[in-house]
Amino acid sequence: MSLRFYNTLSGRVEEFHPLEPPKVRMYTCGLTVYDYAHIGNYRTFVFQDILRRHLKYRGYELLHVMNLTDVDDKTIRNSQAAGTSLRDYTDKYIKAFEVDAQLLNLEAPEIVVRATDHIAAMVKLIETLEAKGFAYRSEGSIYFRVSQFRDYGKLSKLDLEGMRAGARVDSDEYDKANVRDFVLWKAAKEGEPSWETPLGRGRPGWHIECSAMSMKYLGETFDIHSGGSDLIFPHHENEIAQSEAATGKPFVRYWLHAEHLIVNGEKMSKSLGNFFTLRDLVAKGYKPAAIRYLLASVPFRKPLNFTFDGLHQAQQSIERLRNLRYRLTMEKFPAGESSVLQDRARTAVREFEEALDDNLNTAEALAAIFNLVRDANIAMDHGEFRDGDRPVFLDALDRWDRIFAVLEDNDQAKLTKLGFIKPLAKTAGDLIPRQDEAKAAQGDGYTSAVLTEALGEAEIETRIAERNAARRRGDFASADKIRSDLLAAGVILEDTKSGTRWKRK
Ligand code: AMP
Ligand code: ZN
């Protein structure tokens, strides 16, 4: 059975067949880097990550391009307010985005591009549109003549006759022949960054950035384009118009759009002020994995209501999964195998794979794995689980985690690698790493809460081994010290017949 996706262009669920299997060419609209991303943005990026991971899981080879919008009204306005150059200003938020992305286990797209590095490609595309009669000039700016492009509106299916100018259209203060027309090239304005080009001095409009960059790397027709549903109109509608008018070919074959993360019935957004950045939530003690889990838990075409209750439950759900994996690796079971149990695990794998094939139904994929977790724990508690059943169950968890990516607990290692925190001190008493004051002073946001978070799994295992060694030597003072240090770091030890187990507070 092949993969199926809801395609905004056709308005229905379609079988997915890339142009040149096993290659999949995909473009995703990335962040506008004028501030820290909020977790609404990350809902869309987590969806895109699940999409790319599942495509890979099913044997496709990805060529995935993501842009970073580093020139537009907002980046210019904020860099001016900060008194820094556009490049320096956007560099800071690109770096911040990369750190967040690593904590959220977002795989890096094969190609990440900045708009300001592609001005020449945008200019060329605008020249083609001018030559083909789809563009006109007015006061040094260049506009796309929407009435010239017959298929305008095919993605958003809006009533264009009654259409009013959208927010981004409104913000263009230039003269246009028709309210629906949109800007391709903005004439230079005093004090704003601009580029000297054959079109004159100016800067690109937002929409042309994505058309030029996507076609440059993926060709005139490619497989998948995605973003949040707020981008359907006008951004993606305009991308189609520009690209298809220039090439005369279909631009994108499958359009996938994520519904919004909402708070009390409203879209999470900077302008409404109802947002949390990843840093905000980590500072409150939530783990990036729990945030990723929450954002992935609702299928992408359904709005996701953000609550702290939901986030708390996500954290607990991850602990259940991690605890099962811990039991599977550490607990002692009687020799032998149970074919019934192994079939049960294989069925769960098939169920979550099929759920994801079906338009990335993440909710069903979660249900499949949690039913398996429940059955595995029951079998273990009843003494039915056998030593030889381990690999099949571990394989099921690993396969599931190739997509969901929440089982590893290595935030500290990642932050240490990124230079945010010092490596763990090796003395037994110094379990909690101190923050790197210099980094913290820069206001990167990943400060005390991240640093006092629970230890990584590998470190906990090492401490437990040290404690066991101390107990065997009869050095109970050291053993007790390790136990209380771990407790201070949020880890509870439990000595059982089959060894020492641990869980987080
Ligand atoms: P922007 O930085 O505004 O260009 O947005 C980056 C991505 O985040 C786009 O794909 C948006 O559609 C998406 N996005 C913005 N707000 C939300 C939200 N509340 N829920 C889901 N996606 C969002
Ligand atoms: Zn875009």
Side-chain angles (χ1 to χ4, degrees), residues 29 210 235 239:
C29 292
C210 284
H235 185 49
E239 278 190 46

mmCIF file of all heavy atoms in Angstrom, residues 29 210 235 239, ligand 2:
data_model
loop_
_atom_site.group_PDB
_atom_site.id
_atom_site.type_symbol
_atom_site.label_atom_id
_atom_site.label_comp_id
_atom_site.label_asym_id
_atom_site.label_seq_id
_atom_site.Cartn_x
_atom_site.Cartn_y
_atom_site.Cartn_z
ATOM 1 N N CYS A 29 8.755 25.996 3.533
ATOM 2 C CA CYS A 29 8.979 27.398 3.881
ATOM 3 C C CYS A 29 9.491 27.435 5.309
ATOM 4 O O CYS A 29 8.826 26.966 6.233
ATOM 5 C CB CYS A 29 7.680 28.188 3.784
ATOM 6 S SG CYS A 29 7.114 28.343 2.093
ATOM 7 N N CYS A 210 10.718 32.359 -2.399
ATOM 8 C CA CYS A 210 10.510 30.904 -2.347
ATOM 9 C C CYS A 210 10.440 30.293 -3.746
ATOM 10 O O CYS A 210 10.947 29.196 -3.969
ATOM 11 C CB CYS A 210 9.253 30.578 -1.543
ATOM 12 S SG CYS A 210 9.534 30.752 0.234
ATOM 13 N N HIS A 235 0.674 33.505 0.206
ATOM 14 C CA HIS A 235 2.051 33.146 -0.135
ATOM 15 C C HIS A 235 2.148 32.022 -1.174
ATOM 16 O O HIS A 235 2.770 32.178 -2.222
ATOM 17 C CB HIS A 235 2.803 32.778 1.145
ATOM 18 C CG HIS A 235 4.258 32.514 0.953
ATOM 19 N ND1 HIS A 235 5.088 33.353 0.262
ATOM 20 C CD2 HIS A 235 5.050 31.467 1.354
ATOM 21 C CE1 HIS A 235 6.319 32.862 0.254
ATOM 22 N NE2 HIS A 235 6.321 31.709 0.907
ATOM 23 N N GLU A 239 3.232 31.980 -5.067
ATOM 24 C CA GLU A 239 4.369 31.176 -5.551
ATOM 25 C C GLU A 239 3.965 30.402 -6.813
ATOM 26 O O GLU A 239 4.732 30.325 -7.775
ATOM 27 C CB GLU A 239 4.805 30.171 -4.483
ATOM 28 C CG GLU A 239 5.707 30.744 -3.417
ATOM 29 C CD GLU A 239 6.280 29.638 -2.537
ATOM 30 O OE1 GLU A 239 6.737 28.618 -3.067
ATOM 31 O OE2 GLU A 239 6.234 29.791 -1.309
HETATM 32 ZN ZN ZN B 2 7.731 30.274 1.273
#
